[in-house]
Every structure is written in structure tokens, then in C-alpha cells.
Amino acid sequence: MAAMDQHQVIIVCGETGSGKTTQLPKIALMLGRGKLNAKPGERARMIGHTQPRRIAASSVAKRIAEELKTPLGEVVGFKVRFQDRLSKNASVKLMTDGILLAETQTDPLLQAYDTIIIDEAHERSLNIDFLLGYLRQILPRRPDLKIVVTSATIDADRFAKHFASRNGPAPVIMVSGRTFPVEQRYRPFEESRDYGLNEAMADGVDELWQGGAGGDILIFLPGEREIREAADHLRKHSRTSRSREAPKCCPYLPACRRPSKTRFLKRPMVAASCWPPMWPKRHSPCLASAMSSTPARRGSSATACAARSSN
């Protein structure tokens, strides 16, 4: 809080689960930022918070609104393509980085914001790179604007030098996250005519499920077709399983609506998801099983990972 108050730009490095995404907007509100804290006669400005994906922007907005005990859109809202849940007096605006980049065309100095949080900067998409360069240029003309760049994995020194001022590089704040014990099990996989990747995954699921550790199993695959084929195979396999309580199998895709995703998490199950993994917040991996003898490659169906998570 002190660093944000004393510096125009700060770099926050924190592991996944450290709470930086949900807590930084609340810290900015506590420092008097946002429309909620605007004084009479002053121009009311928002706290802008960017996320690389639409589902992340909407889910984070709902989470922060829930923590603040306010209706979604009243104090905290979100704006993504085809959807706007933001009231006129909202103080915190969650959005995709593309939305903020588009706003620079009509608001070159981003006068609508007094604080901008660029989250997941390590993804280094074109939108994020353009925003980081653009914000660096407008900082001298917006001395009142606060910039926070956050990421789970980031080259902090390079970002600190990029936003260097006459006082030196931007300060870097390291935030520790929660850790969980992880057990790794290696299962060599050699594909044959009668034994493919789906059969290997089924054997891995049986091994994890029969251990009785409790929790769910996540399987990461490179594409939607592989996910659906694996889910169909595991459903058929579970019907022939000797286990009294066979796990429920559900595909977990980026295109799924939020209610469908949260429904998946209400009972022990096997969920197949895209690679790179998108961990649900309540899924803390504590047991992993790799089922390939080759390194993971984007677009390759020869690698899968099953992880049992603790509830």
C-alpha cells in the first residue's frame, strides 16, 4: 500500500494464489482511488483492471464484488466484448486488455482512470505489449495516474527498467503465495495399435481414483477434439469400472459458460481441460501423474497430465 501511494508505477510479482488479482483493486480503493472516493468538485475517475481473457475479467469482477459485499456493477463491474455490467458510478472496471487498448483511440490520455492495473503481464500478447509501451509514453503527461503491473512469472528487472523515471527503476514487490505438497508419478507411455493415449489416461485415472486420497482429477490436453474424445472414452471406461463410485467425467473448455464450469466443481469428478492449464481457484494440485515419455508440445496429443486436487 505504501509503495503504491509513493510511486507512480510499481511491479508486483506474486505466485498463483497469492491474491494479487483480487486484493490490488481493494488496496487502490483504500488509498482513495476510484469514483467512490472522489471529492466534491474533482473529476471522478475509475480504477481500470485488465485481464487477458473475457472469462477472467467477468469472474474476477464477480469475486471482488462478492468480497466487498456489493452487487455486481455497482462498485465493481466488468466490460468485455458483447457484455457490459458497469454502472455509471462504478469505481473498479474489469476488462480485457483489448478493451483498454481500444479506448486509447477516443481517450488518448486515459483520463477516465486514476489507476490502471495490468494483470498477467507475463503473457506478453500484442495487446499487453502495446499497452505497456503506450502507458510509458503518457506517464509524463499524467502525473496523477498510478500504474500497477502484475504477473505470476515475470522478468521484473526488465519491466522495472522500462518504467524507470528520474528516481530510478520502478520498485518491484514480491508477494509470496500458498504452496501445497505435490507428489509426482511417472507413467511411461508407448502408443501401439491396441493401446493409445486414451487407454493410458484411463489407467492413470484408475490408479489415482483407487488411491482414495479424495478430490478431483484434472487432465490437460492440447485441443477441444482431444478433450471430447478423452471424455467420451473415460465415460465408457467408468461404466465398466469395478469401483463402487465411479468418477463423473466432464469436458472443461474455455468456451464453457461460467455456470457450467462452477457446476463441475460440486462433486468429485474427472475434468479434461485445455493446455496450458487453467486451474480453478479451489483446485490446489497435490498429486500429479504424467503419462508421456516425451516433453509436452503445443498441438501434440501425445502428452496428458492428470492431477488429483484437494478439496
Side-chain angles (χ1 to χ4, degrees), residues 178-212:
R178 295 176 296 174
T179 59
F180 299 87
V182 175
E183 176 190 348
Q184 295 185 350
R185 300 185 185 181
Y186 181 68
R187 294 177 59 90
F189 167 67
E190 294 184 4
E191 190 169 8
S192 64
R193 179 178 298 180
D194 300 325
Y195 191 81
L197 180 64
N198 290 334
E199 287 75 19
M201 282 188 289
D203 290 344
V205 168
D206 287 342
E207 179 183 331
L208 292 169
W209 196 257
Q210 293 171 3

mmCIF file of all heavy atoms in Angstrom, residues 178-212:
data_model
loop_
_atom_site.group_PDB
_atom_site.id
_atom_site.type_symbol
_atom_site.label_atom_id
_atom_site.label_comp_id
_atom_site.label_asym_id
_atom_site.label_seq_id
_atom_site.Cartn_x
_atom_site.Cartn_y
_atom_site.Cartn_z
ATOM 1 N N ARG A 178 0.572 -19.293 -1.501
ATOM 2 C CA ARG A 178 0.434 -20.543 -0.768
ATOM 3 C C ARG A 178 1.025 -21.697 -1.576
ATOM 4 O O ARG A 178 0.958 -21.708 -2.787
ATOM 5 C CB ARG A 178 -1.050 -20.826 -0.485
ATOM 6 C CG ARG A 178 -1.695 -19.809 0.428
ATOM 7 C CD ARG A 178 -3.177 -20.110 0.580
ATOM 8 N NE ARG A 178 -3.866 -19.979 -0.702
ATOM 9 C CZ ARG A 178 -5.140 -20.300 -0.883
ATOM 10 N NH1 ARG A 178 -5.847 -20.796 0.128
ATOM 11 N NH2 ARG A 178 -5.713 -20.140 -2.061
ATOM 12 N N THR A 179 1.605 -22.630 -0.874
ATOM 13 C CA THR A 179 2.150 -23.811 -1.534
ATOM 14 C C THR A 179 1.479 -25.057 -0.984
ATOM 15 O O THR A 179 1.007 -25.077 0.148
ATOM 16 C CB THR A 179 3.667 -23.911 -1.317
ATOM 17 O OG1 THR A 179 3.931 -23.965 0.099
ATOM 18 C CG2 THR A 179 4.385 -22.710 -1.912
ATOM 19 N N PHE A 180 1.453 -26.098 -1.808
ATOM 20 C CA PHE A 180 0.826 -27.355 -1.432
ATOM 21 C C PHE A 180 1.790 -28.498 -1.749
ATOM 22 O O PHE A 180 2.551 -28.424 -2.718
ATOM 23 C CB PHE A 180 -0.489 -27.556 -2.204
ATOM 24 C CG PHE A 180 -1.519 -26.494 -1.938
ATOM 25 C CD1 PHE A 180 -1.528 -25.328 -2.693
ATOM 26 C CD2 PHE A 180 -2.467 -26.645 -0.944
ATOM 27 C CE1 PHE A 180 -2.463 -24.345 -2.458
ATOM 28 C CE2 PHE A 180 -3.407 -25.663 -0.705
ATOM 29 C CZ PHE A 180 -3.407 -24.521 -1.460
ATOM 30 N N PRO A 181 1.770 -29.540 -0.938
ATOM 31 C CA PRO A 181 2.654 -30.679 -1.224
ATOM 32 C C PRO A 181 2.234 -31.368 -2.525
ATOM 33 O O PRO A 181 1.046 -31.570 -2.776
ATOM 34 C CB PRO A 181 2.444 -31.598 -0.016
ATOM 35 C CG PRO A 181 1.099 -31.207 0.528
ATOM 36 C CD PRO A 181 0.946 -29.748 0.267
ATOM 37 N N VAL A 182 3.216 -31.705 -3.341
ATOM 38 C CA VAL A 182 2.963 -32.326 -4.645
ATOM 39 C C VAL A 182 3.745 -33.631 -4.739
ATOM 40 O O VAL A 182 4.940 -33.672 -4.467
ATOM 41 C CB VAL A 182 3.370 -31.391 -5.796
ATOM 42 C CG1 VAL A 182 3.209 -32.100 -7.138
ATOM 43 C CG2 VAL A 182 2.534 -30.127 -5.772
ATOM 44 N N GLU A 183 3.053 -34.699 -5.107
ATOM 45 C CA GLU A 183 3.697 -35.987 -5.360
ATOM 46 C C GLU A 183 3.646 -36.259 -6.856
ATOM 47 O O GLU A 183 2.577 -36.172 -7.470
ATOM 48 C CB GLU A 183 2.973 -37.103 -4.610
ATOM 49 C CG GLU A 183 3.530 -38.500 -4.915
ATOM 50 C CD GLU A 183 2.645 -39.610 -4.365
ATOM 51 O OE1 GLU A 183 1.745 -39.289 -3.565
ATOM 52 O OE2 GLU A 183 2.849 -40.762 -4.747
ATOM 53 N N GLN A 184 4.763 -36.562 -7.462
ATOM 54 C CA GLN A 184 4.834 -36.813 -8.895
ATOM 55 C C GLN A 184 4.966 -38.311 -9.168
ATOM 56 O O GLN A 184 5.793 -38.988 -8.550
ATOM 57 C CB GLN A 184 6.021 -36.064 -9.515
ATOM 58 C CG GLN A 184 5.875 -34.562 -9.441
ATOM 59 C CD GLN A 184 7.005 -33.838 -10.170
ATOM 60 O OE1 GLN A 184 7.974 -34.463 -10.572
ATOM 61 N NE2 GLN A 184 6.855 -32.542 -10.326
ATOM 62 N N ARG A 185 4.133 -38.793 -10.081
ATOM 63 C CA ARG A 185 4.196 -40.187 -10.511
ATOM 64 C C ARG A 185 4.418 -40.210 -12.020
ATOM 65 O O ARG A 185 3.678 -39.569 -12.765
ATOM 66 C CB ARG A 185 2.906 -40.933 -10.162
ATOM 67 C CG ARG A 185 2.586 -40.959 -8.675
ATOM 68 C CD ARG A 185 1.363 -41.817 -8.432
ATOM 69 N NE ARG A 185 0.944 -41.783 -7.044
ATOM 70 C CZ ARG A 185 -0.097 -42.478 -6.566
ATOM 71 N NH1 ARG A 185 -0.806 -43.249 -7.388
ATOM 72 N NH2 ARG A 185 -0.421 -42.388 -5.296
ATOM 73 N N TYR A 186 5.427 -40.952 -12.430
ATOM 74 C CA TYR A 186 5.772 -41.016 -13.856
ATOM 75 C C TYR A 186 5.272 -42.314 -14.455
ATOM 76 O O TYR A 186 5.543 -43.394 -13.928
ATOM 77 C CB TYR A 186 7.292 -40.903 -14.019
ATOM 78 C CG TYR A 186 7.731 -40.939 -15.459
ATOM 79 C CD1 TYR A 186 7.422 -39.901 -16.328
ATOM 80 C CD2 TYR A 186 8.467 -42.020 -15.942
ATOM 81 C CE1 TYR A 186 7.827 -39.925 -17.650
ATOM 82 C CE2 TYR A 186 8.878 -42.050 -17.268
ATOM 83 C CZ TYR A 186 8.551 -41.005 -18.116
ATOM 84 O OH TYR A 186 8.950 -41.041 -19.429
ATOM 85 N N ARG A 187 4.526 -42.194 -15.562
ATOM 86 C CA ARG A 187 3.991 -43.369 -16.242
ATOM 87 C C ARG A 187 4.478 -43.347 -17.689
ATOM 88 O O ARG A 187 3.925 -42.611 -18.524
ATOM 89 C CB ARG A 187 2.461 -43.372 -16.222
ATOM 90 C CG ARG A 187 1.854 -43.537 -14.831
ATOM 91 C CD ARG A 187 0.330 -43.449 -14.902
ATOM 92 N NE ARG A 187 -0.215 -44.470 -15.784
ATOM 93 C CZ ARG A 187 -0.575 -45.691 -15.390
ATOM 94 N NH1 ARG A 187 -0.430 -46.026 -14.117
ATOM 95 N NH2 ARG A 187 -1.059 -46.545 -16.243
ATOM 96 N N PRO A 188 5.523 -44.104 -18.026
ATOM 97 C CA PRO A 188 5.988 -44.147 -19.426
ATOM 98 C C PRO A 188 4.874 -44.620 -20.354
ATOM 99 O O PRO A 188 4.112 -45.529 -20.022
ATOM 100 C CB PRO A 188 7.145 -45.154 -19.382
ATOM 101 C CG PRO A 188 7.564 -45.192 -17.955
ATOM 102 C CD PRO A 188 6.328 -44.951 -17.146
ATOM 103 N N PHE A 189 4.775 -43.975 -21.500
ATOM 104 C CA PHE A 189 3.695 -44.289 -22.438
ATOM 105 C C PHE A 189 4.269 -44.578 -23.808
ATOM 106 O O PHE A 189 5.024 -43.776 -24.371
ATOM 107 C CB PHE A 189 2.718 -43.117 -22.521
ATOM 108 C CG PHE A 189 1.749 -43.216 -23.666
ATOM 109 C CD1 PHE A 189 0.782 -44.207 -23.684
ATOM 110 C CD2 PHE A 189 1.805 -42.340 -24.735
ATOM 111 C CE1 PHE A 189 -0.105 -44.305 -24.740
ATOM 112 C CE2 PHE A 189 0.925 -42.430 -25.790
ATOM 113 C CZ PHE A 189 -0.023 -43.409 -25.793
ATOM 114 N N GLU A 190 3.939 -45.735 -24.335
ATOM 115 C CA GLU A 190 4.314 -46.109 -25.690
ATOM 116 C C GLU A 190 3.051 -46.502 -26.439
ATOM 117 O O GLU A 190 2.385 -47.481 -26.090
ATOM 118 C CB GLU A 190 5.313 -47.267 -25.673
ATOM 119 C CG GLU A 190 6.671 -46.906 -25.067
ATOM 120 C CD GLU A 190 7.651 -48.059 -25.155
ATOM 121 O OE1 GLU A 190 7.280 -49.092 -25.760
ATOM 122 O OE2 GLU A 190 8.768 -47.916 -24.614
ATOM 123 N N GLU A 191 2.721 -45.729 -27.449
ATOM 124 C CA GLU A 191 1.486 -45.960 -28.198
ATOM 125 C C GLU A 191 1.629 -47.175 -29.103
ATOM 126 O O GLU A 191 2.675 -47.414 -29.718
ATOM 127 C CB GLU A 191 1.153 -44.722 -29.030
ATOM 128 C CG GLU A 191 -0.237 -44.775 -29.646
ATOM 129 C CD GLU A 191 -0.626 -43.432 -30.239
ATOM 130 O OE1 GLU A 191 0.240 -42.539 -30.294
ATOM 131 O OE2 GLU A 191 -1.786 -43.299 -30.645
ATOM 132 N N SER A 192 0.570 -47.968 -29.156
ATOM 133 C CA SER A 192 0.529 -49.135 -30.038
ATOM 134 C C SER A 192 -0.850 -49.215 -30.672
ATOM 135 O O SER A 192 -1.711 -48.374 -30.437
ATOM 136 C CB SER A 192 0.844 -50.407 -29.245
ATOM 137 O OG SER A 192 -0.146 -50.650 -28.268
ATOM 138 N N ARG A 193 -1.067 -50.265 -31.444
ATOM 139 C CA ARG A 193 -2.353 -50.395 -32.132
ATOM 140 C C ARG A 193 -3.492 -50.583 -31.142
ATOM 141 O O ARG A 193 -4.592 -50.068 -31.333
ATOM 142 C CB ARG A 193 -2.299 -51.574 -33.107
ATOM 143 C CG ARG A 193 -3.615 -51.810 -33.857
ATOM 144 C CD ARG A 193 -3.491 -52.955 -34.838
ATOM 145 N NE ARG A 193 -2.479 -52.663 -35.867
ATOM 146 C CZ ARG A 193 -2.179 -53.500 -36.852
ATOM 147 N NH1 ARG A 193 -2.793 -54.691 -36.925
ATOM 148 N NH2 ARG A 193 -1.264 -53.182 -37.746
ATOM 149 N N ASP A 194 -3.255 -51.325 -30.079
ATOM 150 C CA ASP A 194 -4.316 -51.628 -29.114
ATOM 151 C C ASP A 194 -4.249 -50.779 -27.859
ATOM 152 O O ASP A 194 -5.099 -50.929 -26.970
ATOM 153 C CB ASP A 194 -4.235 -53.111 -28.714
ATOM 154 C CG ASP A 194 -4.397 -54.034 -29.910
ATOM 155 O OD1 ASP A 194 -5.186 -53.673 -30.820
ATOM 156 O OD2 ASP A 194 -3.730 -55.088 -29.939
ATOM 157 N N TYR A 195 -3.246 -49.919 -27.753
ATOM 158 C CA TYR A 195 -3.088 -49.132 -26.524
ATOM 159 C C TYR A 195 -2.681 -47.707 -26.898
ATOM 160 O O TYR A 195 -1.548 -47.443 -27.283
ATOM 161 C CB TYR A 195 -2.026 -49.759 -25.619
ATOM 162 C CG TYR A 195 -1.977 -49.186 -24.221
ATOM 163 C CD1 TYR A 195 -2.882 -49.610 -23.244
ATOM 164 C CD2 TYR A 195 -1.028 -48.235 -23.872
ATOM 165 C CE1 TYR A 195 -2.837 -49.089 -21.969
ATOM 166 C CE2 TYR A 195 -0.974 -47.717 -22.593
ATOM 167 C CZ TYR A 195 -1.879 -48.147 -21.640
ATOM 168 O OH TYR A 195 -1.840 -47.613 -20.358
ATOM 169 N N GLY A 196 -3.664 -46.798 -26.822
ATOM 170 C CA GLY A 196 -3.416 -45.410 -27.186
ATOM 171 C C GLY A 196 -3.413 -44.494 -25.979
ATOM 172 O O GLY A 196 -3.415 -44.927 -24.819
ATOM 173 N N LEU A 197 -3.442 -43.196 -26.251
ATOM 174 C CA LEU A 197 -3.389 -42.203 -25.182
ATOM 175 C C LEU A 197 -4.608 -42.286 -24.276
ATOM 176 O O LEU A 197 -4.503 -42.156 -23.050
ATOM 177 C CB LEU A 197 -3.280 -40.801 -25.788
ATOM 178 C CG LEU A 197 -3.209 -39.637 -24.795
ATOM 179 C CD1 LEU A 197 -1.943 -39.725 -23.968
ATOM 180 C CD2 LEU A 197 -3.269 -38.307 -25.528
ATOM 181 N N ASN A 198 -5.791 -42.518 -24.856
ATOM 182 C CA ASN A 198 -7.000 -42.589 -24.035
ATOM 183 C C ASN A 198 -6.950 -43.762 -23.064
ATOM 184 O O ASN A 198 -7.387 -43.655 -21.916
ATOM 185 C CB ASN A 198 -8.233 -42.698 -24.932
ATOM 186 C CG ASN A 198 -8.514 -41.408 -25.682
ATOM 187 O OD1 ASN A 198 -8.131 -40.325 -25.222
ATOM 188 N ND2 ASN A 198 -9.170 -41.512 -26.825
ATOM 189 N N GLU A 199 -6.424 -44.896 -23.509
ATOM 190 C CA GLU A 199 -6.292 -46.053 -22.625
ATOM 191 C C GLU A 199 -5.282 -45.760 -21.509
ATOM 192 O O GLU A 199 -5.493 -46.144 -20.350
ATOM 193 C CB GLU A 199 -5.843 -47.286 -23.407
ATOM 194 C CG GLU A 199 -6.927 -47.898 -24.305
ATOM 195 C CD GLU A 199 -7.181 -47.093 -25.554
ATOM 196 O OE1 GLU A 199 -6.310 -46.271 -25.919
ATOM 197 O OE2 GLU A 199 -8.253 -47.281 -26.174
ATOM 198 N N ALA A 200 -4.196 -45.045 -21.846
ATOM 199 C CA ALA A 200 -3.205 -44.677 -20.830
ATOM 200 C C ALA A 200 -3.807 -43.739 -19.793
ATOM 201 O O ALA A 200 -3.540 -43.860 -18.595
ATOM 202 C CB ALA A 200 -1.985 -44.040 -21.490
ATOM 203 N N MET A 201 -4.638 -42.807 -20.251
ATOM 204 C CA MET A 201 -5.292 -41.890 -19.308
ATOM 205 C C MET A 201 -6.251 -42.642 -18.399
ATOM 206 O O MET A 201 -6.329 -42.365 -17.194
ATOM 207 C CB MET A 201 -6.031 -40.796 -20.077
ATOM 208 C CG MET A 201 -5.117 -39.708 -20.614
ATOM 209 S SD MET A 201 -6.029 -38.313 -21.300
ATOM 210 C CE MET A 201 -6.689 -39.047 -22.786
ATOM 211 N N ALA A 202 -6.976 -43.593 -18.965
ATOM 212 C CA ALA A 202 -7.911 -44.375 -18.153
ATOM 213 C C ALA A 202 -7.171 -45.150 -17.067
ATOM 214 O O ALA A 202 -7.624 -45.208 -15.903
ATOM 215 C CB ALA A 202 -8.712 -45.325 -19.040
ATOM 216 N N ASP A 203 -6.018 -45.728 -17.397
ATOM 217 C CA ASP A 203 -5.229 -46.441 -16.392
ATOM 218 C C ASP A 203 -4.719 -45.492 -15.315
ATOM 219 O O ASP A 203 -4.706 -45.825 -14.126
ATOM 220 C CB ASP A 203 -4.048 -47.153 -17.061
ATOM 221 C CG ASP A 203 -4.481 -48.334 -17.925
ATOM 222 O OD1 ASP A 203 -5.638 -48.773 -17.747
ATOM 223 O OD2 ASP A 203 -3.678 -48.788 -18.759
ATOM 224 N N GLY A 204 -4.303 -44.287 -15.742
ATOM 225 C CA GLY A 204 -3.851 -43.305 -14.765
ATOM 226 C C GLY A 204 -4.960 -42.850 -13.843
ATOM 227 O O GLY A 204 -4.757 -42.684 -12.632
ATOM 228 N N VAL A 205 -6.155 -42.646 -14.398
ATOM 229 C CA VAL A 205 -7.299 -42.260 -13.571
ATOM 230 C C VAL A 205 -7.636 -43.361 -12.575
ATOM 231 O O VAL A 205 -7.925 -43.101 -11.402
ATOM 232 C CB VAL A 205 -8.516 -41.929 -14.464
ATOM 233 C CG1 VAL A 205 -9.791 -41.811 -13.631
ATOM 234 C CG2 VAL A 205 -8.266 -40.636 -15.232
ATOM 235 N N ASP A 206 -7.611 -44.624 -13.037
ATOM 236 C CA ASP A 206 -7.885 -45.738 -12.122
ATOM 237 C C ASP A 206 -6.885 -45.756 -10.967
ATOM 238 O O ASP A 206 -7.265 -45.955 -9.804
ATOM 239 C CB ASP A 206 -7.811 -47.060 -12.886
ATOM 240 C CG ASP A 206 -9.014 -47.265 -13.799
ATOM 241 O OD1 ASP A 206 -10.027 -46.567 -13.582
ATOM 242 O OD2 ASP A 206 -8.926 -48.100 -14.711
ATOM 243 N N GLU A 207 -5.624 -45.528 -11.268
ATOM 244 C CA GLU A 207 -4.596 -45.543 -10.224
ATOM 245 C C GLU A 207 -4.825 -44.441 -9.203
ATOM 246 O O GLU A 207 -4.738 -44.651 -7.992
ATOM 247 C CB GLU A 207 -3.214 -45.390 -10.854
ATOM 248 C CG GLU A 207 -2.077 -45.366 -9.837
ATOM 249 C CD GLU A 207 -0.732 -45.132 -10.493
ATOM 250 O OE1 GLU A 207 -0.564 -45.519 -11.667
ATOM 251 O OE2 GLU A 207 0.148 -44.554 -9.827
ATOM 252 N N LEU A 208 -5.151 -43.235 -9.687
ATOM 253 C CA LEU A 208 -5.368 -42.105 -8.779
ATOM 254 C C LEU A 208 -6.664 -42.276 -7.992
ATOM 255 O O LEU A 208 -6.727 -41.980 -6.806
ATOM 256 C CB LEU A 208 -5.404 -40.796 -9.574
ATOM 257 C CG LEU A 208 -4.089 -40.362 -10.217
ATOM 258 C CD1 LEU A 208 -4.331 -39.210 -11.186
ATOM 259 C CD2 LEU A 208 -3.084 -39.943 -9.166
ATOM 260 N N TRP A 209 -7.710 -42.759 -8.675
ATOM 261 C CA TRP A 209 -9.021 -42.852 -8.030
ATOM 262 C C TRP A 209 -9.037 -43.941 -6.961
ATOM 263 O O TRP A 209 -9.661 -43.784 -5.913
ATOM 264 C CB TRP A 209 -10.080 -43.138 -9.085
ATOM 265 C CG TRP A 209 -11.475 -42.869 -8.607
ATOM 266 C CD1 TRP A 209 -12.405 -43.782 -8.208
ATOM 267 C CD2 TRP A 209 -12.096 -41.591 -8.470
ATOM 268 N NE1 TRP A 209 -13.560 -43.161 -7.846
ATOM 269 C CE2 TRP A 209 -13.402 -41.802 -7.993
ATOM 270 C CE3 TRP A 209 -11.671 -40.283 -8.717
ATOM 271 C CZ2 TRP A 209 -14.288 -40.763 -7.750
ATOM 272 C CZ3 TRP A 209 -12.552 -39.250 -8.474
ATOM 273 C CH2 TRP A 209 -13.840 -39.496 -7.998
ATOM 274 N N GLN A 210 -8.347 -45.025 -7.225
ATOM 275 C CA GLN A 210 -8.342 -46.127 -6.264
ATOM 276 C C GLN A 210 -7.461 -45.839 -5.063
ATOM 277 O O GLN A 210 -7.520 -46.541 -4.067
ATOM 278 C CB GLN A 210 -7.866 -47.406 -6.959
ATOM 279 C CG GLN A 210 -8.848 -47.915 -8.010
ATOM 280 C CD GLN A 210 -8.284 -49.053 -8.837
ATOM 281 O OE1 GLN A 210 -7.166 -49.509 -8.586
ATOM 282 N NE2 GLN A 210 -9.046 -49.495 -9.833
ATOM 283 N N GLY A 211 -6.635 -44.780 -5.148
ATOM 284 C CA GLY A 211 -5.801 -44.421 -4.003
ATOM 285 C C GLY A 211 -6.611 -43.909 -2.836
ATOM 286 O O GLY A 211 -6.146 -43.938 -1.695
ATOM 287 N N GLY A 212 -7.814 -43.403 -3.108
ATOM 288 C CA GLY A 212 -8.687 -42.943 -2.031
ATOM 289 C C GLY A 212 -8.247 -41.659 -1.377
ATOM 290 O O GLY A 212 -8.615 -41.382 -0.229
#
